[in-house]
Amino acid sequence: ETTTMEEKLLADESDKHLPPPCRLYEGTLADFVFAIVTAALFIDVTVLTLYDLKTTDFSRLLPELSAVVDGAAGLDSRVPRAFNLTLSIDSGIRDEQCVGGEAVVLYRGVPLATGAVQELCVPVNSTGQVAIFAASGGVGLPTELAEQMADEKRDGGAVWLEVRVISVKHRLLTCTASLHGGAGPQPPCDSRLLRDESDGVEKASVY
Ligand SMILES: *[C@@H]1O[C@H](CO)[C@@H](O)[C@H](O)[C@H]1NC(C)=O
Ligand SMILES: *[C@@H]1O[C@H](CO)[C@@H](O)[C@H](O)[C@H]1NC(C)=O
């Protein structure tokens, strides 16, 4: 009796040690399916990413702003200094872009005229323009600047003015514009956050 019991137990034990063939097969199949699905997902993601990379216009990821001088007076004549400018805004494909505040026209770091800039928000992926009239009580240029400008003109080069657009609410723009405008696209403005830290509190969030 005992022998049979032991034999039976042993037989049971050895049965337990046998790997269940069916489960082994299932495991392999599951692994196989998992591998296929993973590969398919990987290919899918890769193709989608490549497609996105191909169709995204990276040149329009960031906003681009530029200033053009449409007209100027009073630099070499005895009439009040004045500038007509156009600020062009391409908002890019990420955020709307707002301008507004005050413009200052400088030559070689010397302010020549100032003017108000109307508030304008250009929606994402759009373009807009703001006309700026900047004027000053003065006429002509300080002698040194007038000589430098005359030299630049004589050398056949463009006379570059700097246009800063300053506003508490928006970004500080620093643009370069040729005095005689029109000569092709103007360089893009440099744009940076204005931070008023005069009272020790950073107000970067006003943006
Ligand atoms: C600026 O534009 C206004 C309106 O078009 C014009 O009357 C004025 O003469 C212009 N001034 C200059 C300096 O171009
Ligand atoms: C931007 O606008 C153009 C058409 O003006 C459109 O083809 C493009 O899909 C737009 N891009 C985004 C990111 O909205």
Side-chain angles (χ1 to χ4, degrees):
E1 265 187 273
T2 335
T3 337
T4 12
M5 275 277 278
E6 267 171 15
E7 271 170 4
K8 210 182 168 204
L9 274 174
L10 272 174
D12 280 357
E13 288 287 330
S14 53
D15 268 359
K16 269 186 206 159
H17 284 124
L18 270 181
C22 194
R23 297 213 30 180
L24 184 67
Y25 175 67
E26 272 174 12
T28 313
L29 183 64
D31 286 350
F32 181 68
V33 169
F34 180 75
I36 294 283
V37 169
T38 307
L41 273 178
F42 179 74
I43 290 167
D44 209 36
V45 167
T46 307
V47 168
L48 274 179
T49 306
L50 288 177
Y51 179 77
D52 279 352
L53 286 177
K54 198 167 140 46
T55 52
T56 300
D57 188 356
F58 285 101
S59 65
R60 300 203 54 238
L61 214 51
L62 293 175
E64 195 166 291
L65 298 96
S66 60
V68 171
V69 178
D70 301 315
L75 297 180
D76 47 16
S77 53
R78 305 297 296 173
V79 296
R81 284 198 299 268
F83 299 87
N84 280 323
L85 311 160
T86 303
L87 183 64
S88 298
I89 303 131
D90 179 343
S91 64
I93 56 175
R94 283 211 307 217
D95 280 314
E96 69 168 2
Q97 289 299 314
C98 297
V99 296
E102 195 176 346
V104 184
V105 181
L106 306 96
Y107 178 63
R108 305 232 164 173
V110 179
L112 300 181
T114 61
V117 181
Q118 71 174 88
E119 297 271 335
L120 176 74
C121 284
V122 177
V124 66
N125 200 17
S126 307
T127 57
Q129 290 191 327
V130 180
I132 302 168
F133 180 70
S136 136
V139 296
L141 289 171
T143 319
E144 200 180 317
L145 286 184
E147 283 168 3
Q148 287 174 339
M149 195 177 275
D151 283 350
E152 280 188 307
K153 279 181 182 164
R154 199 168 33 242
D155 295 345
V159 174
W160 293 102
L161 299 174
E162 185 185 325
V163 179
R164 285 187 207 155
V165 178
I166 302 157
S167 131
V168 188
K169 289 200 303 215
H170 311 302
R171 285 173 172 253
L172 166 67
L173 298 174
T174 307
C175 313
T176 307
S178 122
L179 174 58
H180 299 293
Q186 303 292 291
C189 305
D190 177 73
S191 159
R192 65 189 55 191
L193 266 182
L194 267 187
R195 288 167 201 268
D196 177 1
E197 293 170 49
S198 54
D199 56 1
V201 181
E202 213 174 84
K203 295 192 181 65
S205 51
V206 285
Y207 166 71

